[in-house]
Amino acid sequence: MRTISMLEAINEALHQEMERDETVFVFGEDVARQGGDFGATRGLWKRFGDKRVKDTPLSEAAIAGIANGAAMAGLRPVAEIMFGDFMTECYDQIVNHAAKARYMYAGQFKMPLVIRTAVGAGMRAGPQHSQSIESWFVNVPGLFIVAPSTPYDAKGLLISSIRDDNPVLFLEHKMLYNFKGEVPEEPYTIPIGKGEIKRPGKDVSVIAYMKTVHQALEAAAILDNEGISAEVVDLRTIIPYDRQIILDSVSKTKRAVVVHEAPKTGGFGAEISSFIHEQMFYDLEAPVVRVAALDCPVPFNPRLEDYVVPSTADIVKAVKSLF
Amino acid sequence: MRTISMLEAINEALHQEMERDETVFVFGEDVARQGGDFGATRGLWKRFGDKRVKDTPLSEAAIAGIANGAAMAGLRPVAEIMFGDFMTECYDQIVNHAAKARYMYAGQFKMPLVIRTAVGAGMRAGPQHSQSIESWFVNVPGLFIVAPSTPYDAKGLLISSIRDDNPVLFLEHKMLYNFKGEVPEEPYTIPIGKGEIKRPGKDVSVIAYMKTVHQALEAAAILDNEGISAEVVDLRTIIPYDRQIILDSVSKTKRAVVVHEAPKTGGFGAEISSFIHEQMFYDLEAPVVRVAALDCPVPFNPRLEDYVVPSTADIVKAVKSLF
Amino acid sequence: MALSNEDLIKMCRQMVYVRKFEEHIEEEFKAGNIPGWCHLGIGQEAIQVACHWALRKDDYYFYDHRNKVMTLIAGTDPKAVMAECFGKKTGICKGKGGEMHIADKSVGNMGNNEIQGANLAISLGTAVASQIRGTDQVTAVFFGDGTTGRGEFHEGLNLAAVWKLPIVYCCANNLYAISTPHREAHAVEDIADLARAYGIPAEVVDGNDAVAVYEAMTRAVQHVRSKKGPYFLEFKTYRWQGHFVGDPAANRPEEEVAYWKARCPIKRMKERLISEGIMSEADFERMSEEVEQEIHELIKYAHESPEPSLEEAVEDVYYGLEVAAR
Amino acid sequence: MALSNEDLIKMCRQMVYVRKFEEHIEEEFKAGNIPGWCHLGIGQEAIQVACHWALRKDDYYFYDHRNKVMTLIAGTDPKAVMAECFGKKTGICKGKGGEMHIADKSVGNMGNNEIQGANLAISLGTAVASQIRGTDQVTAVFFGDGTTGRGEFHEGLNLAAVWKLPIVYCCANNLYAISTPHREAHAVEDIADLARAYGIPAEVVDGNDAVAVYEAMTRAVQHVRSKKGPYFLEFKTYRWQGHFVGDPAANRPEEEVAYWKARCPIKRMKERLISEGIMSEADFERMSEEVEQEIHELIKYAHESPEPSLEEAVEDVYYGLEVAAR
Ligand SMILES: Cc1ncc(C[n+]2csc(CCOP(=O)(O)OP(=O)(O)O)c2C)c(N)n1
Ligand SMILES: Cc1ncc(C[n+]2csc(CCOP(=O)(O)OP(=O)(O)O)c2C)c(N)n1
Ligand SMILES: [Mg+2]
Ligand SMILES: [Mg+2]
């Protein structure tokens, strides 16, 4: 099969869904003329024109507002917020409207909108362009949060997100945009809310998403040499997270490590950790351990940045601490 | 000692700090002329005048912006955001500026600002005026989050928050505004980051904050009759939470329940639960259990509202499940 | 389209209807039968009623806390609105929204969202939808003077102007946001002047004169429906009561309140109809009593309506995904 | 205050200085010596330099991504700025901020916050501080045309106008926000017109003429310092390059770029000085070389500066509370 980057996979999904469904439209800052800051929307403007591919002013609240209103009117808006860090500027539209309109108006409205945004550290982009934002949104019932780690997952999950009738926050890790993998040319879907075992193992479950999945895989390879067989669980969706895949994996391995790039305190790893303890406390051989960023913003200096976010070595170390 | 309400305690703290330190000033929507939507700022305008007590337009981003800029310039701004639900509209100012200015500018600035806001369910105020908002902010290093449960704590903690050189999000539970308790007349401080045992016990630790502390106390009384001695730990500060008091309590009781009013999934209880498991897994007799709201918005209908948020009975049930 | 005598009578009746609807809500609220809060729009009936006469059934409407009764004029079953205020299962939002969250998709009411200003962003979306679909549907968004302080006011107006979106902005300038006088919170006396700066045609309208409101709204809608871009109306008006029932609104000068009560939109309409011989005092009394009866029925209905069942609390959180109950 | 010949020469030198400073950053960036991104303001030197001539040392300044070099004119040690771009420990923010986050409290630089528009809210706070303290300190906030799309633009200008805050708004309208032309994103051609709607005095200024910039800024600061409220300046200008180094800015017409390069602010100043006999071509060359040397020193300093130690990553998160390192 053909090998393409995650950026190309996202771009292809957008093309195919716009082709398939004329209620899909794309908008955001610099998405038309320039094809997006990272290039995810390249070609769409030429192909689908001004009406369905729109450059907006720097107006994040308006962008998310358009998504809300258009979804309520029955379209399938796909908005881009250039950096996840700027989701702060449309936080109200997501938390108080996208996530609640269906509920507070008692099911009268579907909210089939997608907000795509680039997240994560590694680009030496400093404290306001490098954040992991998922945990800002995990205590907001009504919202889905999708977080792919591979081009294949990104394409399938983006197509599912666009077709889904719930609001979806679609997270794209900047450091994965150029990551390549096999991706079918035809459109396909991956169910939201389903994780995937990216590497089977029997001694410990390493639960991760986005970039940390790849670090978990590296760690698993290292651990293998040391006689520890690690199973890598890629959640792929953060909300609703795949409880079953976690239970299945951990009931086999009896040990788990959760990894994410956001700071540890108050991060989403806490949810996974407490879920596992609540459900399988008596089966566990050791406590679930979180591997995460330090409790500080992401600094600009490359060495500091790399120090602050979790490394493969940190995962290896955490796993070993369980034996 | 004299008994006053939490609202009065807050009001007194504001008066005393404005009296003591002329760099303290208060502003927000309807805080001057009307004394705030709930009355927390009553009397300040008359006493301290236009310059230090200011009604603003409906401009939440500007309100938080003023707090940021004035703090950077060396004042001690105390802003009111009428409802915690509207913190969404100044989320950027808190997350990307208040919490990061000190760090990203390498310690050049202190950020001695306080944002007070009314949170929580129970007023039949519906989905957009009843939220528990703490977990939106717990993964944001650089920010303190204070959450008192009694008039005494509210006064002492508000004074500490105003005097502290970090940005503080000060949460006031609406259903506690009229809750009365003994409060000294003179100013005093309570250290931020220190919890308090609100009721000692030996069989189980019930860890709570704000309104749920009172429910935990009710539950403890009920449990007592059934021969279970519950220790009620009031965190009082959410970030940085008092790790020591938790360790001390749970190493004695070997069982813990965490209670909050926010939805369970992704709520702050997950942090406490995973912390306890990480630290004391081998000492625990049972898994830490979270008691929280259902994973939905807060509905308007009173019966539904009461059903959605955790009840005293839910705490009792959770505690019993550990034995 | 000029209003016929019949139209004027009907309009007058609608104004009486929404007034009485709210008066009864107030009464029920004070009696402890309605939970939460009540924001009454008494004094603003001309806007609440007449604007709708210039709109079409398939248009999109965004109201706010002050104007929820507009949905009655749009065509929502009044029983369902009253029941919603009571939080009952038969409410238009099944008791989950309450008076602050009344939407009725079937009539184009997209929800009176209670984060002030948010609808100024959301309304862009329905307008974009009309544009993408190529329909001539108009989006009408209603908000108060205070709400123009919010950032979304700017983001919304700017985008609406650049993209020539089909939006009629209807600002009810009732001089206050809760306790704060418009003048002390806003740099402009006439908000319309701010709208004009974006190149949006704007009018200041006597918001207590139903016919003037209707005529201005007709001009606005015509402009917008013919795809010339947004239009802005500022209605000068006044709310007679506090921000919500129970708010004494103590800071407002008594003379000011008296001045505006004298300019009651219903009295105005009634006097006009009587002086033009379209209606007699007795006709008006008869009509008022009729309305009174109708509202009584609504109240009765609301009282007798069942509460939602507890499981409904976790319904409609997601589409196609269940949330666990207790 | 009229500018003396000496002043003009110094201004010219400063413009050359900031230009060369950025040219060298570009070179270093392309050579891989600078991490992250680089946003260059080449072409906007008249604004960057001349504005400061009208400000006072104890005023508050808020810059943006395009104008970080202004801090050099404000008086920040150039070594510390260069080192910050390199992310070194000797940087003004110890390498934690990078070129997007340069603050220098000691000179009044309150940080070039990289959430566009945020400074339009934060700058209200320093202005309120001046007002509360009763000082005549001015707050000057610098931002681009694109940033005026943000809601904080409105919240900020409205409040500044109502409260008569001592703020000079300095908008560098360089016709684009990244790839998006101003005209396609904004309802107004002259942003100054929008400012006027709030009752804020506003001027449109040739942003490539340092003397015009200085004069306008002087008027603005005088107005603001005398407590008459905010003032708004819109500088028409152009950035020569893409949004950041590496951005081809392919969508901009070549003629447009050429037109603006011909209106280079440095060339303009130089020609003026030469034609008025204040400076010779040779003087200029000599000065340029001198500056070139100085910048070389800075680059050398930055290269030789140490990296921060790893533990510094967790310093300064809180005041008085330590964060655990690995
Ligand atoms: C974002 C936000 N800020 C504040 C509030 C609280 N609030 C509700 S209504 C209101 C005043 C609104 O004034 P205006 O728009 O003039 O409408 P009016 O009540 O006068 O009809 C305020 C401050 C809110 N609901 N949302
Ligand atoms: C809130 C926010 N939205 C978007 C961005 C990304 N961004 C950075 S600069 C920029 C363009 C700014 O344009 P303008 O204000 O005209 O300044 P210029 O770059 O032209 O000098 C954008 C969209 C951001 N940093 N913050
Ligand atoms: Mg009003
Ligand atoms: Mg620009």
Side-chain angles (χ1 to χ4, degrees), chain A residues 37-238:
Chain A
D37 215 42
F38 293 94
T41 56
R42 240 172 249 157
L44 295 174
W45 186 50
K46 254 206 171 133
R47 173 70 165 264
F48 299 102
D50 275 338
K51 233 188 192 175
R52 291 178 64 202
V53 185
K54 289 170 179 300
D55 277 335
T56 68
L58 274 84
S59 302
E60 283 79 12
I63 293 171
I66 291 169
N68 276 325
M72 291 172 92
L75 299 188
R76 294 194 173 274
V78 181
E80 174 173 310
I81 296 292
M82 199 180 283
F83 284 78
D85 312 67
F86 315 157
M87 289 297 302
T88 50
E89 294 287 12
C90 57
Y91 193 70
D92 178 66
Q93 289 289 334
I94 306 301
V95 168
N96 281 326
H97 315 284
K100 291 190 175 58
R102 179 172 186 77
Y103 185 83
M104 69 190 176
Y105 304 138
Q108 294 183 68
F109 299 96
K110 292 179 186 170
M111 297 300 284
L113 62 96
V114 178
I115 313 269
R116 300 177 35 253
T117 194
V119 301
M123 272 191 81
R124 289 62 175 105
Q128 293 178 326
H129 286 70
S130 307
Q131 293 172 85
S132 294
I133 66 166
E134 65 274 12
S135 93
W136 304 347
F137 294 95
V138 294
N139 200 221
V140 180
L143 181 69
F144 283 176
I145 309 174
V146 171
S149 70
T150 67
Y152 178 85
D153 290 349
K155 180 172 173 184
L157 281 166
L158 182 51
I159 292 179
S160 294
S161 298
I162 294 172
R163 296 185 191 174
D164 195 275
D165 283 330
N166 292 290
V168 178
L169 179 57
F170 192 88
L171 305 180
E172 304 169 3
H173 197 294
K174 293 168 220 127
M175 301 313 282
L176 297 178
Y177 273 141
N178 290 325
F179 182 85
K180 291 199 162 60
E182 292 194 342
V183 178
E185 290 186 32
E186 66 283 1
Y188 57 94
T189 60
I190 292 175
I192 293 175
K194 289 276 168 268
E196 188 183 57
I197 304 297
K198 282 287 196 288
R199 175 195 165 119
K202 56 186 182 35
D203 300 330
V204 59
S205 303
V206 182
I207 302 164
Y209 48 90
M210 293 195 285
K211 195 188 124 194
T212 56
V213 169
H214 302 283
Q215 297 176 291
L217 289 168
E218 283 168 24
I222 294 168
L223 289 162
D224 220 16
N225 291 332
E226 313 199 14
I228 297 174
S229 160
E231 175 150 300
V232 176
V233 182
D234 180 0
L235 287 181
R236 300 201 294 196
T237 295
I238 292 174

Side-chain angles (χ1 to χ4, degrees), chain C residues 44 66 144-147 172-178 239:
Chain C
Q44 303 187 186
R66 192 71 60 213
D145 50 294
T147 297
N173 186 343
N174 61 13
L175 311 187
Y176 289 89
I178 307 188
R239 63 167 153 78

Side-chain angles (χ1 to χ4, degrees), chain D residues 24-81:
Chain D
H24 278 276
I25 286 186
E26 181 177 11
E27 203 178 297
E28 293 295 316
F29 182 82
K30 286 182 173 162
N33 298 329
I34 289 182
W37 297 305
C38 267
H39 300 87
L40 304 181
I42 292 177
Q44 303 187 187
E45 294 85 356
I47 306 162
Q48 293 165 346
V49 167
C51 284
H52 259 300
W53 281 71
L55 290 161
R56 219 166 58 191
K57 283 234 165 290
D58 64 342
D59 290 332
Y60 295 110
Y61 323 123
F62 291 88
Y63 312 129
D64 69 356
H65 59 295
R66 192 72 59 214
N67 298 306
K68 60 182 173 298
V69 289
M70 293 189 74
T71 205
L72 302 169
I73 311 304
T76 304
D77 176 359
K79 296 205 298 298
V81 180

Side-chain angles (χ1 to χ4, degrees), chain A residues 256-317:
Chain A
V257 167
V258 195
V259 196
H260 59 58
E261 209 184 273
K264 184 194 245 177
T265 299
F268 183 64
E271 171 63 35
I272 302 297
S273 163
S274 22
F275 169 74
I276 296 172
H277 287 116
E278 277 168 355
Q279 297 293 316
M280 345 185 43
F281 178 78
Y282 300 102
D283 303 326
L284 290 174
E285 296 284 350
V288 181
V289 168
R290 294 173 284 169
V291 177
L294 299 177
D295 286 328
C296 64
V298 179
F300 167 67
N301 174 282
R303 284 180 70 223
L304 297 196
E305 181 175 34
D306 294 343
Y307 172 71
V308 157
V309 299
S311 67
T312 299
D314 294 325
I315 302 173
V316 170
K317 198 170 132 199

Side-chain angles (χ1 to χ4, degrees), chain A residues 29 60 86, chain D residues 65-66 114 116 144-147 174 176-177 243:
Chain A
E29 291 160 28
E60 283 79 12
F86 315 157
Chain D
H65 59 295
R66 192 72 59 214
E114 283 314 322
Q116 301 300 326
D145 50 293
T147 297
N174 60 13
Y176 289 88
H243 175 59

